[in-house]
Amino acid sequence: AQKITQTQPGMFVQEKEAVTLDCTYDTSDQSYGLFWYKQPSSGEMIFLIYQGSYDEQNATEGRYSLNFQKARKSANLVISASQLGDSAMYFCAMREGPGTGRRALTFGSGTRLQVQP
Amino acid sequence: DAGVTQSPTHLIKTRGQHVTLRCSPISGHKSVSWYQQVLGQGPQFIFQYYEKEERGRGNFPDRFSARQFPNYSSELNVNALLLGDSALYLCASSSRGTERDTQYFGPGTRLTVL
């Protein structure tokens, strides 16, 4: 079974509108971290936002917020007021706890977001 | 402060050759991880090092090896290159390597195997 599932290969959004990128995950660990990264065409993975499994509040970082629904195992990224520079690939990733024996990031397949003027 | 740096930026090799990729973590970070990203896919975990010891290895053949030096920089070595090794190789650093630690990525090394 896939650990991280991103069901939207591509998304379009109008400039200045909000967009939600979906992510569901699968783990039996109680302690884990969920991350979103942005990858422009240049290739560098840019960290956007983090949510810990024990965090009660949804994480926010500027225009980025994470809609964390633990019971549904979902961690959707919300980008408010989209900008042209937001056009990129977006990856959801999970880092499981010590029970797995390692702490590597497991990535989803990504969502390509295109912001239209 | 400087971010994660990787060298070289691009590399072209032929099948059967050997390649060494280098990574310098963010100052103060003791954990380095390597990922392979094939075109159109998410990154796949190769190795993680913390305090110069291997903490984890992904599902990659023994042709792949790595090490971490006393200054926490790291090298990824790939022997007997195959066409399928063509990918973007990403290095990431974090302070402690725990599940709550954010990994910060370098710009990557784009390897082409002909």
Side-chain angles (χ1 to χ4, degrees):
Chain A
Q2 283 198 345
K3 293 266 186 179
I4 298 287
T5 302
Q6 294 181 254
T7 57
Q8 306 153 313
M11 290 279 287
F12 288 91
V13 65
Q14 290 294 123
E15 197 177 4
K16 299 180 184 177
E17 291 187 351
V19 63
T20 297
L21 307 183
D22 295 341
C23 173
T24 57
Y25 60 92
D26 182 31
T27 181
S28 56
D29 261 1
Q30 297 302 307
S31 178
Y32 51 89
L34 296 160
F35 302 81
W36 277 91
Y37 288 86
K38 171 184 177 182
Q39 188 175 43
S41 55
S42 61
E44 184 169 357
M45 299 287 281
I46 302 168
F47 166 71
L48 296 178
I49 196 166
Y50 161 81
Q51 179 83 42
S53 58
Y54 292 119
D55 295 341
E56 294 184 354
Q57 303 277 1
N58 284 345
T60 60
E61 288 285 351
R63 295 188 297 111
Y64 305 107
S65 61
L66 202 152
N67 183 2
F68 180 47
Q69 297 187 39
K70 194 171 182 176
R72 297 180 62 183
K73 293 189 174 178
S74 75
N76 298 337
L77 176 70
V78 180
I79 305 174
S80 63
S82 297
Q83 301 172 356
L84 295 178
D86 293 335
S87 294
M89 281 291 287
Y90 288 80
F91 289 96
C92 178
M94 176 173 63
R95 201 170 189 185
E96 294 171 285
T100 63
R102 69 176 200 196
R103 298 180 178 89
L105 283 169
T106 301
F107 286 84
S109 55
T111 295
R112 181 169 297 282
L113 176 67
Q114 295 188 54
V115 180
Q116 297 175 320
Chain B
D1 284 343
V4 179
T5 59
Q6 292 186 245
S7 63
T9 306
H10 295 85
L11 206 50
I12 299 175
K13 293 284 189 178
T14 55
R15 282 179 297 174
Q17 285 190 313
H18 162 272
V19 68
T20 298
L21 311 181
R22 295 178 175 84
C23 170
S24 291
I26 291 171
S27 178
H29 283 191
K30 299 180 179 180
S31 179
V32 168
S33 298
W34 287 93
Y35 295 83
Q36 181 197 64
Q37 186 178 21
V38 174
L39 195 62
Q41 298 180 16
Q44 297 289 318
F45 169 70
I46 310 175
F47 285 108
Q48 183 190 33
Y49 279 81
Y50 177 71
E51 288 275 21
K52 301 179 287 290
E53 291 190 1
E54 184 181 303
R55 275 284 188 87
R57 168 190 278 262
N59 189 23
F60 280 81
D62 292 344
R63 299 185 295 107
F64 288 77
S65 64
R67 55 180 175 168
Q68 188 177 31
F69 298 101
N71 66 353
Y72 303 112
S73 67
S74 178
E75 281 183 357
L76 175 69
N77 295 283
V78 187
N79 292 323
L81 285 167
L82 303 174
L83 296 179
D85 296 331
S86 295
L88 179 67
Y89 288 85
L90 294 162
C91 172
S93 79
S94 61
S95 56
R96 295 180 309 277
T98 69
E99 67 275 12
R100 298 180 68 85
D101 243 4
T102 295
Q103 290 193 343
Y104 296 93
F105 285 80
T109 293
R110 197 167 294 277
L111 173 65
T112 301
V113 182
L114 302 176

